[in-house]
RNA sequence: CGGGGUGUAGCGCAGUCCGGUUAGCGCGCGUCGUUCGGGACGACGAGGUCGCAGGUUCAAAUCCUGCCACCCCGACCA
């Protein structure tokens, strides 16, 4: 096979880039830092969207849509919030263009200056909470459980396709509650939704936990996250859920009358996942032969490649292929019959392999005679010949087996790359030579975390939700600590 | 925003140091034929404002100035 792309070993980030580009997921655009998501990549995102959207609806949420533009003044109503985002906001200052007086092209019309500049949303807490003020008067108006699917812009210095782009797609849930307990419960509930999605659909094991103060969302009281481990040993935050307390309610004056007739501030949460998940998916499962997709998120779950010489053979083979396709589609399996005559079978094999299609069926005259089909699975690259009888059930089980195998592989990778460090030397050594998640004691201070970050580039990924208490000494300062936290270098 | 690199056909590159016929090569693309169970082969063919704007020169892909874009490494971030 002609290798025209990088392997993980050679250059991990080029390998990643090659997969994104050559599997037709996305490409960079004419606009700095912004990507074009191509149909195949977008189809993966749509699969993610539809699974998540259902989970949101099942937990009582509704979709809505808020403006992409936020009045500049909104952003600085919550002090921490503005601090967190001010450095990466795109700002709209004018609303009109005109012909360049010199005759060439168009220029901004200086007379059409906005009275108040508009910020392109980096996230929507402010515009949403300004709106919620109008929606909420009584405890009867609560809770509000709203999600929006949207694009946001964060003017990043350095971008990477899917992992970090100036504009990205995401969903952001914004809920309003009467009590602290209810808001905290919501925060955890949505974290659990994300965990289930990551593990069941993306086949990526994640660690649920709480962010340290350093890594907390600007404006949140507590930020929870799910952290996944990529094949190069770096961590990737795959989802966040914030308990916002009453910060935004106070900033935007959102109050309600309780049953007892008291005026109270509303409690808030927000939670989101983004197109970054596509990057996570790639880096968690793919191999040196290209993309590997878990069946549940694969736009094409099964591809059928007919093998033939003459036109007559083509017809015969395709007839069988269509029959199998129909059977699979009746089970809601997404099948593509690639009956293009413009490409040869071998070419198609490589094409679908690189694009991560979980199962490939090849049917030729030999199979028609023997009542068999050739099955190739993408995760293990195994090829087997199946009897055609009961093929639909077999494929259905195979897809489940692939989904499960990918999860198990990712899980054992994580287990093999999760270590404990008890000395500073060990800690640095593991980071440089192995990577992965490192459980280590930490004295709980921001200063120590920052020092560790400066010296090693590792950050605290989270304090795991199911963490067990354990007396120890901080890996860096030697001060007493009562639990280990997870450190890693991260995306 | 700092350091480094690269812009030449759809993609990947050579040519640039040392200016001089008609700017090449591989892949891809088109037509025809033979092929077709892991990226086929042959023949013929199409395709270029050499990133953009100035300048030097008889002559610029090549030298000079400015700008732009992208990539890599840092600081920041989901």
């Amino acid at each position: 096979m002609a290798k025209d792309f990088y392997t993980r070993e050679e250059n991990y980030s080029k390998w990643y880039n090659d997969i994104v580009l050559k599997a037709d997921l996305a490409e960079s655009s004419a606009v700095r830092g912004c990507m074009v998501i191509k149909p195949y990549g977008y189809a993966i995102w749509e699969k993610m969207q539809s699974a998540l959207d259902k989970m949101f609806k099942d937990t009582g949420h509704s979709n809505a849509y808020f403006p992409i533009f936020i009045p500049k003044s909104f952003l600085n109503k919550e002090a921490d919030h503005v601090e967190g985002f001010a450095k990466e906001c795109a700002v709209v200052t004018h609303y009109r263009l005109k012909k360049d007086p010199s005759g060439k092209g168009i220029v901004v019309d200086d007379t059409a200056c906005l009275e108040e500049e508009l910020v392109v949303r980096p996230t929507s807490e402010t515009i949403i909470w300004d709106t919620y003020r109008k929606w909420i008067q009584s405890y009867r108006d609560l809770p509000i459980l709203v999600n929006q699917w949207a694009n946001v812009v964060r003017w990043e210095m350095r971008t990477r396709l899917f992992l970090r782009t100036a504009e990205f797609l995401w969903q952001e849930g914004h809920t309003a509650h009467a009590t602290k307990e209810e808001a905290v419960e919501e925060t955890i509930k949505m974290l659990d939704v994300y965990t289930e999605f990551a593990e069941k659909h993306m086949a990526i094991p994640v660690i649920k936990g709480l962010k340290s103060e350093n890594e907390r969302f600007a404006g949140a009281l507590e930020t929870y996250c799910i952290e996944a481990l990529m094949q190069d040993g770096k961590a990737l935050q795959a989802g966040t859920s914030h308990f916002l307390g009453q910060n935004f309610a106070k900033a935007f004056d959102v109050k309600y009358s309780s049953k007892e007739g008291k005026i109270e501030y509303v409690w808030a949460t927000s939670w989101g996942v983004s197109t970054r998940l596509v990057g996570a998916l790639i880096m968690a499962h793919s191999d040196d032969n290209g993309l590997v997709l878990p069946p549940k998120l694969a736009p094409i779950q099964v591809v059928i490649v007919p093998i033939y010489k003459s036109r007559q053979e083509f017809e015969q083979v395709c007839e069988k292929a269509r029959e199998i396709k129909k059977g699979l589609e009746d089970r809601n399996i997404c099948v593509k019959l690639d009956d293009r005559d413009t490409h040869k079978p071998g070419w198609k094999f490589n094409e679908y392999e690189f694009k991560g299609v979980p199962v490939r069926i090849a049917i030729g005259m030999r199979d028609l005679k023997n009542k068999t089909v050739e099955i190739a699975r993408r995760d293990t690259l195994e090829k087997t010949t199946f009897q055609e009888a009961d093929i639909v059930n077999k494929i259905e089980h195979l897809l489940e087996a692939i989904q499960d195998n990918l999860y198990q592989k990712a899980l054992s990778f994580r287990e093999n790359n999760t270590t404990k460090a008890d000395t500073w030397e060990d800690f640095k050594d593991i980071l440089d030579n192995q990577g992965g998640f490192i459980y280590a004691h930490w004295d709980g201070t921001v200063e120590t975390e920052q020092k560790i970050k400066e010296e090693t580039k590792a950050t605290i990924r989270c304090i795991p939700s199911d963490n067990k208490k354990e007396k120890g000494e901080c890996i860096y300062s030697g001060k007493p600590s009562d639990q280990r936290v997870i450190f890693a270098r991260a995306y």
Side-chain angles (χ1 to χ4, degrees):
Chain A
M1 183 171 63
K3 268 259 172 28
D4 57 349
F5 49 93
Y6 281 90
T7 62
R8 288 164 291 184
E9 184 76 15
E10 282 168 352
N11 188 327
Y12 191 84
S13 63
K14 283 186 175 154
W15 165 83
Y16 172 83
N17 240 349
D18 271 358
I19 289 190
V20 173
L21 296 175
K22 292 182 178 155
D24 264 337
L25 302 179
E27 60 192 33
S28 54
S29 70
V31 186
R32 181 197 182 87
C34 295
M35 64 176 165
V36 173
I37 304 177
K38 298 182 76 176
Y40 192 59
Y42 199 80
I44 296 171
W45 176 238
E46 284 181 310
K47 284 256 177 177
M48 290 179 170
Q49 278 187 302
S50 78
L52 284 164
D53 201 65
K54 180 170 189 312
M55 295 169 94
F56 298 156
K57 303 276 172 62
D58 288 348
T59 43
H61 302 84
S62 304
N63 287 330
Y65 189 79
F66 295 83
I68 190 172
F69 300 120
I70 298 175
K72 194 182 72 180
S73 59
F74 282 22
L75 237 4
N76 62 26
K77 288 199 178 181
E78 210 288 328
D80 293 330
H81 192 63
V82 67
E83 182 96 3
F85 287 108
K87 283 173 288 184
E88 49 191 36
C89 285
V91 184
V92 180
T93 54
H94 293 76
Y95 57 88
R96 191 188 297 146
L97 300 172
K98 63 179 182 186
K99 278 200 181 130
D100 190 323
S102 75
K104 283 197 291 189
I106 49 172
V107 293
V108 172
D109 185 343
D110 289 326
T111 65
C113 197
L114 287 172
E115 250 174 62
E116 179 176 5
E117 288 116 339
L118 297 172
V119 174
V120 180
R121 64 180 162 220
T123 178
S124 301
E125 273 78 6
T126 57
I127 185 81
I128 286 177
W129 278 85
D130 184 70
T131 308
Y132 281 179
R133 182 179 58 249
K134 301 165 199 164
W135 292 4
I136 299 166
Q137 279 99 41
S138 153
Y139 71 92
R140 293 191 182 93
D141 299 323
L142 297 170
I144 293 176
L145 305 174
V146 161
N147 174 64
Q148 87 165 343
W149 290 96
N151 59 339
V152 285
V153 168
R154 295 180 189 174
W155 214 260
E156 299 289 350
M157 307 275 179
R158 260 185 81 190
T159 58
R160 295 194 63 191
L161 295 169
F162 288 114
L163 296 174
R164 178 168 298 108
T165 47
E167 179 195 21
F168 57 93
L169 306 183
W170 77 345
Q171 58 70 216
E172 45 181 327
H174 294 273
T175 67
H177 306 267
T179 65
K180 177 181 177 180
E181 292 66 35
E182 200 183 298
V184 170
E185 189 188 322
E186 167 79 5
T187 310
I188 301 296
K189 182 196 288 175
M190 298 322 287
L191 188 71
D192 288 340
V193 164
Y194 289 153
T195 303
E196 187 184 336
F197 175 75
E199 300 195 332
K200 298 275 167 56
H201 293 260
M202 297 180 66
I204 300 177
V206 293
I207 293 178
K208 286 192 283 188
L210 184 64
K211 283 291 186 194
S212 65
E213 190 182 335
N214 244 341
E215 302 280 318
R216 187 187 295 156
F217 172 73
L221 263 52
E222 280 172 345
T223 289
Y224 293 85
C225 64
I226 52 174
E227 291 285 327
L229 190 61
M230 303 293 103
Q231 291 183 70
D232 61 346
K234 285 170 82 174
L236 185 142
Q237 179 175 308
T240 49
S241 186
H242 313 291
F243 170 58
L244 301 173
Q246 295 174 310
N247 285 356
F248 286 92
K250 285 175 181 164
F252 288 89
D253 197 33
V254 186
K255 294 183 248 185
Y256 73 99
S257 302
S258 69
K259 258 182 208 171
E260 295 76 31
K262 281 171 64 182
I263 305 290
E264 310 267 12
Y265 282 112
V266 174
W267 297 85
T269 81
S270 69
W271 28 272
V273 297
S274 72
T275 37
R276 179 178 234 209
L277 289 182
V278 178
L281 198 63
I282 296 164
M283 289 199 292
H285 301 309
S286 299
D287 61 23
D288 294 340
N289 298 301
L291 187 63
V292 176
L293 292 173
K296 284 191 179 170
L297 294 177
I300 302 167
Q301 294 171 301
V302 177
V303 64
I304 306 178
V305 177
I307 296 169
Y308 56 93
K309 290 195 174 76
S310 64
R311 188 74 209 169
Q312 191 196 1
E313 287 184 6
F314 174 78
E315 294 298 344
Q316 284 177 284
V317 168
C318 279
E319 194 185 329
K320 176 57 70 184
R322 281 190 288 265
E323 184 189 315
I324 292 172
K325 180 169 187 269
K326 173 79 168 56
L328 291 168
E329 281 170 345
D330 288 345
R331 303 284 181 91
N332 288 318
I333 294 168
C334 185
V335 186
K336 174 174 177 175
L337 167 59
D338 189 347
D339 56 5
R340 287 177 300 174
D341 194 36
T342 49
H343 295 277
K344 295 180 46 184
W347 190 92
K348 293 176 184 177
F349 290 176
N350 282 288
E351 167 87 351
Y352 293 109
E353 191 166 291
F354 199 84
K355 288 189 158 189
V357 175
V359 173
R360 183 187 72 229
I361 303 178
I363 310 175
M365 293 307 287
R366 204 161 67 207
D367 295 303
L368 292 191
K369 200 172 72 193
N370 301 336
K371 295 198 185 310
T372 56
V373 295
E374 183 192 85
I375 305 289
R377 54 186 282 186
R378 178 63 184 85
D379 59 337
T380 59
L381 298 170
E382 286 167 346
K383 276 203 291 201
T384 41
T385 301
F386 278 21
Q387 286 302 310
E388 189 210 316
D390 206 29
I391 190 70
V392 171
N393 281 328
K394 287 175 186 160
I395 297 285
E396 201 169 34
H397 289 135
L398 182 59
L399 288 170
E400 284 166 21
I402 292 171
Q403 182 83 27
D404 189 54
N405 178 49
L406 288 177
Y407 179 79
Q408 291 303 331
K409 257 165 83 173
L411 183 61
S412 59
F413 176 84
R414 189 185 75 189
E415 283 168 352
N416 291 333
N417 288 280
T418 299
T419 47
K420 282 186 183 178
D422 288 311
T423 69
W424 184 235
E425 289 310 313
D426 274 0
F427 183 80
K428 288 193 291 191
D429 189 61
I430 294 167
L431 275 175
D432 288 337
N433 297 313
Q434 183 180 3
F437 287 143
I438 306 175
Y439 281 79
H441 280 285
W442 165 57
D443 63 19
T445 66
V446 173
E447 297 74 47
T448 296
E449 182 178 0
Q450 268 164 354
K451 282 273 194 272
I452 293 175
K453 185 178 177 182
E454 278 164 30
E455 291 183 31
T456 65
K457 289 177 206 150
T459 49
I460 296 175
R461 301 322 302 156
C462 70
I463 302 153
S465 297
D466 58 1
N467 221 15
K468 52 181 191 297
K469 299 285 169 184
E470 173 193 313
K471 291 276 177 230
E473 288 174 354
C474 175
I475 193 96
Y476 186 82
S477 69
K479 290 178 188 160
S481 148
D482 61 0
Q483 64 179 337
R484 289 175 186 269
V485 299
I486 300 179
F487 284 92
R489 293 202 178 120
Y491 277 97

